[in-house]
Amino acid sequence: MHAETTPVLLESTAANFSPWAPILRAVPEAAGDVPALLALAVEAGETWPRPGEGRTSLLWELLASVAAIDVAAARVFEPHLDAIAILAQAARTVTADQPALPGNRRGATWGVFAAEGPGARLQATPDGAMVVLNGTKPWCSLAASLDSAVITAHTDDGGRAAFAVDLRHPGVECEQPAWVARGLREIPSGTVHFDQVPATPLGGTGWYHSRPGFAWGGMGVAACWLGGAVGVARDFRAGLLAGADGGREPDQVALAALGEVDRTLTAAMQYLARTAARIDDGSLGTAGQSTWSEAQRVRGTVAAAVERVLQLVLSNRGPAPLAFDERYAKRMADLELYVRQHHGARDDAQLGRLTLKGDCSW
């Protein structure tokens, strides 16, 4: 396998990864081409494992491996695969024999829209035997390019629930986002307006956020962050090797930075592998520890590792690659924006509240 598509392995071996290699080999050429990436995501959704079904580590390896090639590609894959998993967890499948599920077409592309924002509210209202959605939903990535979505909305009982919705319905209007970020430029997130759009409930009020799969999905995003950091680290190592080939051996500072990058990534990868194993053997969630508290630990640990790798590589490689190496500059900008999905001290405060209640192993 070419170095660019070398898998990011947590527990598997490179030999066992061969069935998944064709999609990884297709990612570099598809990078930047959203329709091509969505087609690959659909293909992945047909064969890649789902979290909590015995091969969680392999799923995270695959997501990390995509992100190591191109961070934005992982940003396309992850929500589609998460939506497929959510539908399965809600005892539904994306197949042509279930016409009651909106957008349930063979080869349909899916997103997950669960964010909230000031001044934006999406309301789910019973309408006879149906449920309809009205209002606005922010942070809907690639909404205009997708067929369907799992989306959260407020319910009449004061809670929130998840619904499957057909984004091609005439009552759906996708705003053109004013996306000024230099990162994830091909994955803009904007506001979507809903006007009497029929939707299928998934799991009932409160189910979306209380299911273990919510935590599993959050950790899958962390696997993407970590894969992006592996890509950055590979760039760093390749740069040092190229310099040595040109007669410029890395000095002690550069070697120390590379050593710290290695141990930082290795520790985070080992933590992900251990957590995946605990998810699959059913031991996570016992002895007073909730799945969500572990998700917060994983996400915080990985986010810190990513931030440290970015800092080390940026300070050692200097400005030239950022100015003249398009792929490296894109990778850095994409990853810096993607990892902002972790809310730093606010997420740690949430974990602290759980820890104060005894939701910890120590």
Side-chain angles (χ1 to χ4, degrees), residues 78-285:
E78 185 278 325
H80 176 81
L81 293 169
D82 190 31
I84 298 300
I86 292 167
L87 294 171
Q89 291 158 14
R92 292 189 179 273
T93 56
V94 185
T95 58
D97 59 359
Q98 298 218 6
L101 191 64
N104 188 18
R105 299 180 287 272
R106 185 172 298 278
T109 53
W110 287 80
V112 179
F113 305 150
E116 301 288 331
R121 181 182 177 90
L122 185 63
Q123 184 71 38
T125 306
D127 185 7
M130 301 169 52
V131 174
V132 295
L133 302 181
N134 288 282
T136 59
K137 194 70 172 174
W139 294 102
C140 297
S141 300
L142 292 178
S145 300
L146 300 174
D147 298 308
S148 316
V150 172
I151 189 166
T152 58
H154 295 268
T155 53
D156 288 346
D157 58 8
R160 277 191 292 165
F163 301 86
V165 63
D166 185 351
L167 295 175
R168 304 302 185 187
H169 187 276
V172 176
E173 179 187 354
C174 302
E175 285 187 9
Q176 182 67 32
W179 193 258
V180 300
R182 297 302 183 263
L184 300 174
R185 299 194 73 169
E186 63 268 51
I187 320 290
S189 295
T191 298
V192 178
H193 303 274
F194 295 82
D195 183 10
Q196 291 292 109
V197 177
T200 299
L202 300 174
T205 299
W207 172 82
Y208 177 83
H209 291 100
S210 63
R211 65 195 164 89
F214 181 64
W216 302 341
M219 289 186 272
V221 171
C224 294
W225 298 341
L226 187 59
V230 169
V232 170
R234 288 173 177 172
D235 287 339
F236 183 30
R237 184 178 59 189
L240 293 177
L241 288 171
D245 289 342
R248 189 177 69 255
E249 293 290 334
D251 60 16
Q252 288 292 92
V253 173
L255 290 172
L258 185 62
E260 185 175 347
V261 165
D262 173 68
R263 62 179 172 80
T264 300
L265 291 177
T266 299
M269 292 167 70
Q270 289 173 345
Y271 190 10
L272 273 176
R274 187 188 74 175
T275 304
R278 292 180 64 208
I279 288 172
D280 288 332
D281 68 18
S283 65
L284 184 58

Side-chain angles (χ1 to χ4, degrees), residues 306-328:
V306 171
E307 298 281 12
R308 184 56 180 157
V309 168
L310 287 171
Q311 180 186 32
L312 286 165
V313 174
L314 280 168
S315 63
N316 273 273
R317 294 203 74 188
L322 285 175
F324 301 111
D325 185 335
E326 182 177 353
R327 290 182 59 198
Y328 170 77

